[in-house]
Amino acid sequence: MVIDKKFAILFVILTGLFCSCTTTIKYKVSRPAKLSTYGIQTIAVLPYEPKSEKSTSASPQAVYSMEKLYNRICTTIVNENYCSLVDPTAFKEAESKAELCDAYITFSVSQFYVYENFYLDDGSIYQWSSDLSKKSFYNIDDYGRALPVPLYVIENSTTNSAVQFSSDTNVSRHVDMMFSYNVIDSSTNKVIAMEDFVISADSDEYKFGSVLPEASSIIENQLNIYASKIVSNFQPYTEDKANSLISDSKNENMKEAKRLAAKGNEENIRAAKKIYFNEYSLNKNLDAAYNFSVLCLSLNEINEAFWVMKTVCSESDNYKYKELLGQLEKELYYQNALNQ
């Protein structure tokens, strides 16, 4: 049988690439809370209070939405138990805030608008947004309670023409909200964390005459997401990491260790780690030392990997080795922070 020469060469190249494909070791690492350096053990979450009763931020639905956010944050802090929650009333009455808690959280709302979208028979959309920050035009009162649903004919102020609705008209409710939070150090009154959030959400479409959901329920899912983000300032967390092993298709020990490590379970990773260490110890193979340290890192054996790579970097200027040493130094820092 005659084999095309070009095909044979291509086969050899592809086989070589396949055999030398990179093995990536994936693992998780622990991280201290974002505000861990402040040593926050006790915290007060202050309920939202509008700065002006005349602003959109003072509308009942805005206040109710922030109450949902507040409750979610407090519940999460209590359940996760990473720090203790201080009663907000006690916080307000305390002469020395710093003696009562390490930090406190405040909120502000800069925008809160609610309006309805009417989907008319001709395919056009009519938005009703007249003073909807305080009272929804369609079917809800100042306190968010459903009203009996009348049939509306809206006078369009621009054209002085009536916008007609029929039984086939659909309607949805839209909510726009902008709010922020501050975490304040009680001993210094300095803001140590802050962030602005923007929410824009629509309800499902309903037939005209249906009772639409409250604004706070339309944005509740997004409020819960932001509540988790705020609480994450005080929670340790994990990160996904990955490092690739250095391949050496000519070294049988390196090939065997790589084969075991590629299986991904702890037993085989430990077996591969032992082979890499022996290859490094007996043959001064610095790539084997690198791979050994990568596997140590995936097993959270940071100190062992650090000292091996420190020795390797004293013998070589290889950028890849130094990069791994820097990563190990960073992990040691985080490890010490978690143990404090």
Side-chain angles (χ1 to χ4, degrees):
M1 182 175 64
V2 179
I3 300 177
D4 184 88
K5 188 175 182 180
K6 290 182 179 178
F7 175 80
I9 294 172
L10 180 62
F11 178 78
V12 171
I13 293 173
L14 291 175
T15 303
L17 288 173
F18 179 79
C19 293
S20 62
C21 62
T22 302
T23 298
T24 300
I25 305 300
K26 298 179 180 180
Y27 55 97
K28 293 183 180 293
V29 292
S30 298
R31 295 286 182 257
K34 296 171 187 175
L35 298 180
S36 61
T37 54
Y38 293 93
I40 298 172
Q41 300 296 319
T42 54
I43 190 164
V45 183
L46 306 187
Y48 167 68
E49 294 182 356
K51 294 179 181 179
S52 171
E53 290 300 323
K54 295 182 179 180
S55 70
T56 62
S57 61
S59 66
Q61 280 294 297
V63 173
Y64 188 38
S65 296
M66 292 304 290
E67 184 179 331
K68 285 190 172 184
L69 177 77
Y70 169 85
N71 289 336
R72 181 77 174 205
I73 290 171
C74 291
T75 300
T76 305
I77 289 174
V78 170
N79 290 341
E80 296 293 342
N81 199 32
Y82 290 119
C83 53
S84 299
L85 191 64
V86 173
D87 179 73
T89 302
F91 177 85
K92 287 184 177 181
E93 294 174 352
E95 292 184 9
S96 173
K97 312 300 186 187
E99 290 182 4
L100 188 66
C101 62
D102 300 314
Y104 59 96
I105 303 175
T106 63
F107 303 95
S108 64
V109 176
S110 56
Q111 178 177 300
F112 192 91
Y113 293 110
V114 184
Y115 60 82
E116 275 72 55
N117 291 316
F118 295 93
Y119 304 89
L120 305 180
D121 296 346
D122 62 2
S124 61
I125 300 175
Y126 184 84
Q127 293 181 340
W128 179 268
S129 55
S130 176
D131 201 27
L132 291 172
S133 58
K134 294 184 179 178
K135 181 173 66 177
S136 175
F137 157 77
Y138 185 49
N139 55 22
I140 207 166
D141 68 8
D142 282 339
Y143 297 94
R145 298 173 298 200
L147 292 171
V149 182
L151 297 179
Y152 285 102
V153 176
I154 302 174
E155 290 293 332
N156 189 323
S157 59
T158 305
T159 62
N160 294 322
S161 61
V163 179
Q164 300 285 345
F165 301 125
S166 72
S167 59
D168 294 326
T169 301
N170 282 352
V171 60
S172 67
R173 176 160 286 155
H174 180 85
V175 184
D176 284 326
M177 183 181 188
M178 293 178 63
F179 74 95
S180 61
Y181 77 94
N182 290 328
V183 181
I184 301 171
D185 188 317
S186 299
S187 61
T188 63
N189 284 326
K190 290 183 178 180
V191 175
I192 57 178
M194 63 183 297
E195 192 167 0
D196 298 320
F197 296 112
V198 177
I199 293 178
S200 184
D202 290 283
S203 72
D204 292 334
E205 290 183 25
Y206 298 86
K207 285 294 182 184
F208 182 76
S210 302
V211 176
L212 300 184
E214 295 176 345
S216 60
S217 67
I218 295 172
I219 63 174
E220 186 167 5
N221 286 340
Q222 291 188 53
L223 287 172
N224 289 341
I225 291 171
Y226 290 144
S228 298
K229 192 170 184 181
I230 292 169
V231 175
S232 71
N233 284 300
F234 317 103
Q235 297 171 319
Y237 61 100
T238 60
E239 283 185 355
D240 292 323
K241 292 287 186 179
N243 278 312
S244 297
L245 299 177
I246 297 174
S247 299
D248 186 348
S249 59
K250 296 179 181 179
N251 185 309
E252 292 301 321
N253 289 331
M254 295 282 282
K255 285 170 61 178
E256 175 61 12
K258 176 185 171 182
R259 184 187 69 79
L260 291 170
K263 294 184 177 181
N265 59 70
E266 184 176 345
E267 181 181 357
N268 282 294
I269 285 178
R270 289 194 178 279
K273 173 189 156 187
K274 185 176 181 180
I275 294 173
Y276 281 132
F277 186 77
N278 288 337
E279 174 67 19
Y280 165 59
S281 299
L282 297 174
N283 300 320
K284 302 303 178 183
N285 187 330
L286 300 187
D287 284 348
Y290 176 92
N291 289 348
F292 165 81
S293 298
V294 166
L295 297 185
C296 285
L297 183 53
S298 73
L299 296 168
N300 198 34
E301 296 169 354
I302 313 299
N303 278 303
E304 192 174 358
F306 173 77
W307 289 112
V308 167
M309 287 312 298
K310 191 169 185 179
T311 302
V312 167
C313 287
S314 68
E315 300 172 3
S316 170
D317 290 330
N318 187 306
Y319 173 76
K320 197 172 184 67
Y321 300 161
K322 291 186 175 181
E323 189 177 43
L324 181 59
L325 180 62
Q327 189 178 346
L328 289 166
E329 289 173 337
K330 184 177 179 181
E331 292 305 326
L332 282 175
Y333 167 80
Y334 283 128
Q335 197 173 71
N336 291 333
L338 283 165
N339 293 332
Q340 286 180 354

